[in-house]
Amino acid sequence: MMAGSRRVYLDHSATTPTDPRVVEAMIPFFSEKFGNASSVHFFGQEARSVVEKARREVASLIGARPNEVVFLSGGTEANNLAIRGVAEDLLTHGRHIITSQIEHSSVRGVCDQLEARGWQITRLPVYENGIVRLEDVRSALRPDTVLITVMLANNEIGTIQPVSEIGALVREVRNSGQRHLRFHTDAVQAIGRIGVDVESLGCDLLSISAHKLYAPKGIGALFVRRGVRVTPQNVGGHQERERRAGTESVPSIVAFGEAARLARLELDERSAHVSKLRDEFESGVCSRVNDIVFNGDMSKRLPHLSNISFRFIEGEGLLINLDMQGVAVSTGSACSSGSLEPSPVIRALGRNDELARGSIRFSFGKDNSAEDVAHVLEVLPRAVENLRRLSPLFQQSVSDRAKSPEEIFVAS
Amino acid sequence: MPYSEEFKDHVANPRNVGNFDEANHFGVETNPACGDTLKLFLKVSEGRIHRAGFLAYGCPATIACGSAITELITNQTIEDALAIDRQMISAKVGGIPSRKNHAAALAIETLHHALTRADLSIRLAVEAKQLSR
């Protein structure tokens, strides 16, 4: 097959294409039904009613009440509002936050910023399987802990964290007198891929991004449990019950609502489809490429994602090779201005720089097919081979293996 | 800045890969900050580079610059090869994002290593050949 004739998108953890049914639902709200949802007249009320309908759909997807859903611009804003909003609200009760070493940069960034402002942050390790341990959460708790923020599933390796266990622990601690402890989870990667229910998770706040759910970019939501207060980070308007000022993006909210409805109805089908493709892909890679390491727990992980470190080579070079043959993937590592920034997530698993640099994330979506997997399995081994052929690390390893006593024994 | 088509072509179809029997000069440099490594193998006689090969581990820019410098120096005099600067390498690959400029610097340092530290270079070339057997 000629390079460029087939394009295979395997980067659904970065973003998803907007579902045509979702596009169709949102289109009338650009020009025909353009009202401001805060206006009292007909145009405004028409917009208000669809915003509230979408809110019910999003609430229904996560088992929440509609008034517990705050619309905002996306996952990053949701994480900012949740963490900084709780930290500022509970300032007089304590300044200690517990998080993990593998959070998304938007959680990491807010925690780092709060740390610089005087909060104390405990960043829990994840061990080789990429999963936080409940006993570590328990032993990190202090009387002045106001917030635990641990993601539901990791964006690079897909590992599912023990969020409902942490939720139960939080309830237990609250019942024993530490009433002000709050629990937030970033569910951006998990939503639409596994069932998410705020009651069984026991979280007080939960972040969602619509564009991981076949809706457009620029819209998301924060679940804020009834009775939980967050200090607004966007002020100057009464929208979203004073929790997020700014005119609602009605077309995007409508799209989000429709995408949430479809995700709820099609969840089982989508999960089964992507996990089948992912498993076929992984067994195909294992039989075609040597010297690879899978990153993260192989069972407690999202069904659509596979993270593999290819030894002796670097991720971005492999990404370019694959891109030139029509396959879109992503890598967590980057080398910038001569200093290496290997993926903090892969490093947190205890992997060395070489493995952290050689990691590639393949993330499948509902529209991928078995032909897509076959195409990737055709081009990936060649791309890896191409880079290894010019890698001094690979040459060294070939010569080391040639010299090893076992090899000599086998040869004779 | 996105990578240019020439840049991506050097990454996907690198020129002059690897060591070869007649190589008599060898250079290796590693960027201590990021671990990127470039190795150059040259056949030099009568003041001229007749053939060049490379191996590289690291970011795409290190691969592209390694590939580009082998093309730039083949059939050049040592004097001309030593005059190659970062801009010439960058031009050869259709431009390098500024955050990746260090890759062109690594290619030049490796070349200088191979050409100016000849005793060491020849000894390493012999070792490299033994290694590749």
Side-chain angles (χ1 to χ4, degrees), chain A residues 316 324 335 337-338 357 390 399, chain B residues 3 14 33-34 36 56 99-100:
Chain A
E316 202 185 347
M324 291 186 74
C335 166
S337 305
R357 291 194 78 180
L390 57 90
S399 112
Chain B
Y3 296 131
C34 63
D36 281 12
R99 66 181 195 284
K100 303 280 194 185

Side-chain angles (χ1 to χ4, degrees), chain A residues 70-88:
Chain A
V70 179
F71 286 124
L72 30 68
S73 67
T76 295
E77 189 188 341
N79 288 336
N80 270 261
L81 176 59
I83 299 167
R84 203 182 306 101
V86 164
E88 290 178 355

Side-chain angles (χ1 to χ4, degrees), chain B residues 37-59:
Chain B
T37 298
L38 185 65
K39 292 187 176 186
L40 282 176
F41 312 91
L42 311 177
K43 182 189 181 225
V44 181
S45 65
E46 294 165 353
R48 189 173 289 274
I49 300 166
H50 298 279
R51 191 176 163 190
F54 86 105
L55 289 175
Y57 168 76
C59 67

Side-chain angles (χ1 to χ4, degrees), chain B residues 56-110:
Chain B
Y57 168 76
C59 67
T62 296
I63 294 170
C65 292
S67 169
I69 204 165
T70 61
E71 286 201 318
L72 286 170
I73 60 179
T74 301
N75 296 324
Q76 296 293 311
T77 63
I78 289 176
E79 198 182 357
D80 287 346
L82 288 173
I84 289 171
D85 61 15
R86 285 196 271 182
Q87 284 70 29
M88 291 161 76
I89 295 176
S90 178
K92 186 79 184 163
V93 298
I96 305 173
S98 57
R99 66 181 195 284
K100 303 280 194 185
N101 266 335
H102 61 280
L106 183 71
I108 291 165
E109 280 166 31
T110 312

Side-chain angles (χ1 to χ4, degrees), chain A residues 128-144:
Chain A
E128 206 192 339
N129 65 354
I131 296 176
V132 164
R133 288 186 187 165
L134 186 65
E135 56 265 33
D136 288 343
V137 182
R138 193 188 292 274
S139 52
L141 278 165
R142 308 190 325 204
D144 62 339

Side-chain angles (χ1 to χ4, degrees), chain A residues 397-412:
Chain A
S397 117
V398 169
S399 112
D400 288 351
R401 284 180 220 199
K403 280 186 233 156
S404 76
E406 297 88 337
E407 296 280 333
I408 290 165
F409 178 74
V410 171
S412 62

Side-chain angles (χ1 to χ4, degrees), chain A residues 21-38:
Chain A
R21 295 168 291 179
V22 169
V23 174
E24 195 184 340
M26 74 190 291
I27 279 179
F29 297 92
F30 284 104
S31 43
E32 185 191 333
K33 302 175 181 182
F34 61 87
N36 182 328
S38 299

